[in-house]
Amino acid sequence: MMETELHDVKPVPPKGHVISPDSPSSASPVDDASQKDDRPLLKSDSCSSSSGRISAESLEELNKKFAAFARHDVYGPLGRGELPLVEKLLLGVACVTLLPLRVVLATLILFFYYLVCRICTLFSAPNRDEAAEEQEDFAHMRGWRRTVVVSCGRFLSRVMLFVFGFYWISESFRDLEQEQSPPQGKSSSQNDGKIQSQRPERPGAIVCNHVSYVDILYHMSSSFSSFVAKRSVGKLPLVGLISKCLGCVFVQRESKSSDFKGVAGIVIERVKESHEDESAPMMMLFPEGTTTNGDFLLPFKTGGFLAGAPVIPVILRYPYQRFSAAWDSISGFRHVILLLCQFVNHLEVIRLPVYYPSQEEKTDPKLYANNIRRLMAREGDLVMSDIGLAEKRIYIAALNGLLSQC
């Protein structure tokens, strides 16, 4: 299937080179923030036509086919486009002034919050899930410890966003009560799920579109919610303890243990717990499973909706003029450097009221997920796309093939 997709876009590879899913460029995960990219930031990426220059037609066809992951800022495909002279000068100045300052400040904030978490967890045993391998967290602490961890976490996350250039964040709240229309193919009686603010039920999760790793910082500052993370994150210096204080759900997809409940099983339990217990941390769900360029909404995975609990839909947008904060098809290292080199970054947040699922949606998580997705697409002016992570990897592999000789 992947070979067929790559054949359809007809890239212009160098002689003797074939783009395939087995090639190094497509074998490594695109969402790995540690993916290496040794291309100099200020290096020109223009190539002569005789040496395999990218045809505008091939690039346009790729971007059209995989529109949800295409970049349209001045830095071009994979962040390697030919920059105007003014942009090169701005980037050069930022690299020697703004970048080191922000790196130092961000490191100090991270280290300080780690010390706060370390002090608050002293002589406190972590909460362990015996049914899940190595699953532990400190999110269920009570009293002053939890208050300090949450308050400092929310404040320092906002300070970190400020350091990253998000000086102000535009937040809007939509009142959609009684405005929700029945989904396609459903009558009003079949769509009982409504935005009903008068119902006292506590939501079990926040559902958000996924655009960048900055999403996590924002949600930490606004709700200090728990996330799904790789098990290796819990073992990282500094970040590991912080993630446990957040109450992150650590997963290991490669695990073959018979008692491993899987991502969906753990998430369902945590969503139900948050719905039933006001002291439990709220779960933060990114049901798309990967990031986009912020203009599209990918199909939702149903795992987080199996609990049938009410959810809070949130939509994030990152307006830009020069560099897009969306972490779509650009390597993690390059994206962090360019993001920190922008003097100002922008974030817009649209918060929707709590969505209470109908009985039909509770018994049909796919219907529930699709209705939430349609609601978010409508209110956030997002285009619904039917592609996903597999197609994203194909797109990255094709772009790497086109750019390999530049």
Side-chain angles (χ1 to χ4, degrees):
M1 172 183 175
M2 295 176 75
E3 291 179 353
T4 302
E5 295 287 352
L6 289 175
H7 177 73
D8 290 341
V9 297
K10 297 179 181 179
V12 186
K15 185 176 180 181
H17 180 74
V18 178
I19 303 174
S20 72
D22 297 324
S23 64
S25 61
S26 63
S28 57
V30 299
D31 290 315
D32 186 356
S34 64
Q35 183 181 10
K36 293 184 178 180
D37 189 341
D38 297 327
R39 185 182 299 274
L41 289 174
L42 298 178
K43 181 178 182 298
S44 171
D45 286 291
S46 60
C47 303
S48 64
S49 56
S50 60
S51 62
R53 182 176 183 175
I54 304 173
S55 68
E57 294 79 9
S58 296
L59 184 57
E60 182 179 355
E61 187 176 358
L62 267 176
N63 289 339
K64 182 177 181 181
K65 191 177 184 69
F66 304 99
F69 312 118
R71 297 188 67 83
H72 303 290
D73 58 10
V74 298
Y75 288 83
L78 302 178
R80 303 180 190 175
E82 173 67 11
L83 299 178
L85 178 60
V86 174
E87 186 64 29
K88 290 181 178 179
L89 292 175
L90 289 174
L91 184 59
V93 171
C95 280
V96 298
T97 57
L98 196 60
L99 177 61
L101 175 62
R102 284 178 168 174
V103 169
V104 170
L105 290 176
T107 302
L108 291 176
I109 293 172
L110 180 64
F111 185 72
F112 177 75
Y113 187 51
Y114 167 79
L115 291 179
V116 171
C117 292
R118 175 57 66 190
I119 293 173
C120 290
T121 55
L122 284 175
F123 312 112
S124 178
N127 176 60
R128 288 187 172 86
D129 190 335
E130 296 180 357
E133 298 176 357
E134 301 180 20
Q135 181 68 38
E136 64 177 31
D137 63 74
F138 291 95
H140 296 78
M141 290 188 299
R142 297 291 187 268
W144 68 270
R145 296 171 184 265
R146 182 64 182 170
T147 301
V148 172
V149 167
V150 173
S151 300
C152 288
R154 294 183 63 175
F155 174 74
L156 292 177
S157 296
R158 185 61 188 92
V159 174
M160 185 76 82
L161 286 170
F162 188 89
V163 170
F164 282 7
F166 295 91
Y167 304 123
W168 55 86
I169 297 176
S170 172
E171 292 185 295
S172 61
F173 299 83
R174 301 280 176 88
D175 183 6
L176 306 179
E177 188 173 354
Q178 305 303 327
E179 293 183 8
Q180 189 176 1
S181 59
Q184 297 179 359
K186 297 289 180 182
S187 65
S188 298
S189 61
Q190 290 176 306
N191 184 45
D192 296 328
K194 295 289 182 181
I195 308 294
Q196 301 179 33
S197 58
Q198 70 271 20
R199 295 177 60 173
E201 288 186 79
R202 170 181 161 87
I206 299 172
V207 176
C208 185
N209 62 319
H210 204 7
V211 185
S212 174
Y213 47 81
V214 180
D215 302 351
I216 296 176
L217 275 178
Y218 169 74
H219 286 293
M220 284 182 64
S221 68
S222 64
S223 60
F224 204 76
S225 47
S226 302
F227 302 87
V228 175
K230 293 181 180 179
R231 183 168 299 163
S232 57
V233 172
K235 300 177 181 179
L236 292 175
L238 305 182
V239 176
L241 179 61
I242 294 175
S243 64
K244 291 178 181 179
C245 288
L246 267 170
C248 287
V249 176
F250 300 112
V251 297
Q252 184 67 41
R253 293 179 177 86
E254 295 77 10
S255 176
K256 302 298 181 180
S257 174
S258 58
D259 61 356
F260 182 69
K261 296 183 293 184
V263 180
I266 300 177
V267 170
I268 292 171
E269 289 188 2
R270 292 291 296 274
V271 171
K272 288 182 177 179
E273 182 182 10
S274 177
H275 174 49
E276 299 169 355
D277 184 0
E278 293 186 359
S279 64
M282 186 80 70
M283 277 299 300
M284 178 68 242
L285 303 177
F286 297 111
E288 295 171 283
T290 189
T291 54
T292 68
N293 59 17
D295 296 325
F296 291 79
L297 203 58
L298 307 183
F300 280 8
K301 300 181 184 302
T302 59
F305 300 93
L306 291 170
V311 298
I312 304 176
V314 177
I315 303 161
L316 302 183
R317 303 292 297 265
Y318 293 85
Y320 65 91
Q321 293 182 343
R322 296 162 52 215
F323 174 75
S324 171
W327 187 27
D328 37 37
S329 54
I330 183 173
S331 71
F333 176 77
R334 179 176 291 268
H335 188 277
V336 171
I337 296 299
L338 294 177
L339 180 74
L340 296 181
C341 285
Q342 298 303 301
F343 295 94
V344 180
N345 291 298
H346 302 278
L347 171 58
E348 295 179 354
V349 183
I350 300 175
R351 290 183 167 274
L352 306 181
V354 178
Y355 185 100
Y356 296 90
S358 65
Q359 188 59 44
E360 184 178 5
E361 289 170 324
K362 290 181 180 180
T363 57
D364 186 352
K366 185 174 182 180
L367 173 64
Y368 189 8
N370 288 338
N371 286 348
I372 292 291
R373 181 177 177 235
R374 263 192 291 269
L375 174 67
M376 293 175 63
R378 185 182 74 231
E379 297 302 324
D381 195 23
L382 303 174
V383 179
M384 292 196 295
S385 174
D386 59 356
I387 61 178
L389 180 58
E391 288 79 8
K392 184 177 185 178
R393 288 172 173 164
I394 293 171
Y395 177 59
I396 299 296
L399 284 180
N400 277 318
L402 290 172
L403 295 169
S404 60
Q405 294 301 307
C406 294

